[in-house]
Amino acid sequence: MRALPQILLDRGLVSADHLREAEVEQQQTGRSLGRVLVDRGLLSEKSLVGALAAQIGLDFVDLADADIDARLATLVAANTLRKHSVLPYAMRDGKLLVAMSDPSNVVAIDDVRTITKHDIQPVVATRDDIHAAIDRFAHLTDDIEAMAGDLADGGDVEDDLSSIRAVVEEAPIVKFVNLLISQAVADGASDIHIEPGERDLRVRYRIDGVLHEVMRSPKTIQSGVISRLKIMADVDIAERRIPQDGRISVTSNNKGIDLRFSTLPTVHGEKVVMRILDKSSVLLELEDLGFLEHNHKRFEESYLKPYGTILVTGPTGSGKSTTLYATLNVLNQDGVNIITTEDPVEYRLAGISQVQVNPKVGLTFATALRSILRQDPDIVLVGEMRDRETAQIGIEAALTGHLVLSTLHTNDAPSAVVRLTEMGIEPFLVGSAVDCVLAQRLARKVCARCVDMVRPEPEMLVAAGFPADVAAERPELPRAIGCQACSNTGYRGRMAIHEVMTVTEEIERLAVSRASSDEIGRMAIEQGMQTLREDGLAKVLLGRTTLEEIARVVI
């Protein structure tokens, strides 16, 4: 075991002179060296605890910065956690990581092991951090038990509307729902799923495109939680037979958050999914979306033109709207009239006129687009070209001097041309009006804290799609490992993978001749288009993501 003074010196936490002065005081007072340094203001409490952890060969965690799994933090009752100053907060290699202020407390370790039925890996943290985290997370268990008890005492309130209204205004329900939303925002989730089961209520967050189970709660709180969310979304809490949509606006950490609310009747009750719309994401620049220089330049040449059609393609949840909003942020100038028609309007943009589609009253994309063109627009954004009529009006608008931006559901950029033709748009109009097609996917970024660099064999690199000369060099590529910062996934955050096809004269001629998407794709590649896979592999070489992740999101 290394001596504490040497660890402090090796880490540069104190100078040799200060250490000698503290050792003199230690001999005179009999207090511990670490306590003397902290009292003198020469060492922080966290630095001391970290050094002591290293001395006994254990990891140190700063709970203020760590990503704490709320489900794990609620496995043990709050009073037990406070009694032992411990907090379960993550899983690693099948073991439950437990932050402890005293890792030698075998009684605490045994208690947590017995309650959680997990093997325990002690990790050192400061006592203040542990209790602050307990106050933040562990009360959730008490709230769930209180809600379950209240609802159980009140009998079956499933069909009693007055009882439901009374229950959803009670503090435990309100606190539980607020915590679900605030924790999802803190975890960087894009969606919250509340799913009724036969015997319980499951809550899952979609983080970086993958669903993670957060908790399972007693079935008895189901009606209260879903009704509370319905009231927040201003929808009919008495209607459970048909799907309903709404919107919830909240503030989390002084940041405005909108949630797109949707219910779906299932055999075990209504399932609720809420899409988290972080208003700060509409302020993103195109560079923040992961564009490489080659693709950014090609895309920029298109959206800076005064007219034409720009299409962004990809599956649901691939970031198409975010890319279009980032493009509008560039184009939104005082001398330009920008009007959008969307379903739904996800983000409110200052200085832009936004129209919400409402088919119930006859306001479809097509009817809205006809009216927009009488409003003297310079730039028009159509949420989606989902039918022939909308596509026809959008194409004609581009041919009459407007810049039209829209989305389309196709697997790649070349397929967009064929898709419009299949929708009934004349091929010569498609070739003349469409200026650029941007296809994209979202890939998870490798976690910077735990990433490991490896040199794969050349054969593996060639099979993945790398050119033979790159594979022969055996470059170092990132590999996902997993740590508490990334919830043991190896990934943290997402970025876009792009494919930018500029419609040239040659591609226009192919469109007019009704060529296949494969023929159009080959011509686009000859003219400099990087495919989705090529862009993804370039980002692997830059150390931003892994080969496994690119294989997951790109065919």
Side-chain angles (χ1 to χ4, degrees), residues 78-97:
N79 58 347
T80 303
L81 297 177
R82 292 190 181 94
K83 172 185 172 184
H84 295 306
S85 291
V86 300
L87 182 77
Y89 71 94
M91 294 292 295
R92 182 195 295 166
D93 299 330
K95 291 187 176 182
L96 180 64
L97 299 184

Side-chain angles (χ1 to χ4, degrees), residues 286-293 295-296 438-446 453 466 476-478 494-499 530-547 550:
L286 284 170
E287 292 80 358
D288 299 329
L289 304 181
F291 273 97
L292 297 182
E293 184 177 357
N295 282 334
H296 183 263
L438 167 66
Q440 72 177 47
R441 300 287 189 277
L442 290 180
R444 292 178 294 174
K445 292 191 289 188
V446 70
M453 303 302 290
F466 282 104
E476 278 196 336
L477 303 180
R494 287 192 290 178
M495 64 179 178
I497 306 297
H498 301 106
E499 178 178 278
Q530 289 184 342
T531 65
L532 286 166
R533 174 168 285 275
E534 288 171 343
D535 189 58
L537 294 178
K539 286 165 182 172
V540 172
L541 282 176
L542 292 172
R544 299 180 185 178
T545 188
T546 65
L547 281 175
I550 296 303

Side-chain angles (χ1 to χ4, degrees), residues 15-32:
S15 67
D17 290 342
H18 286 152
L19 188 59
R20 281 193 292 270
E21 292 172 6
E23 287 174 335
V24 171
E25 184 174 335
Q26 176 195 18
Q27 294 169 359
Q28 293 173 347
T29 62
R31 293 188 301 154
S32 68

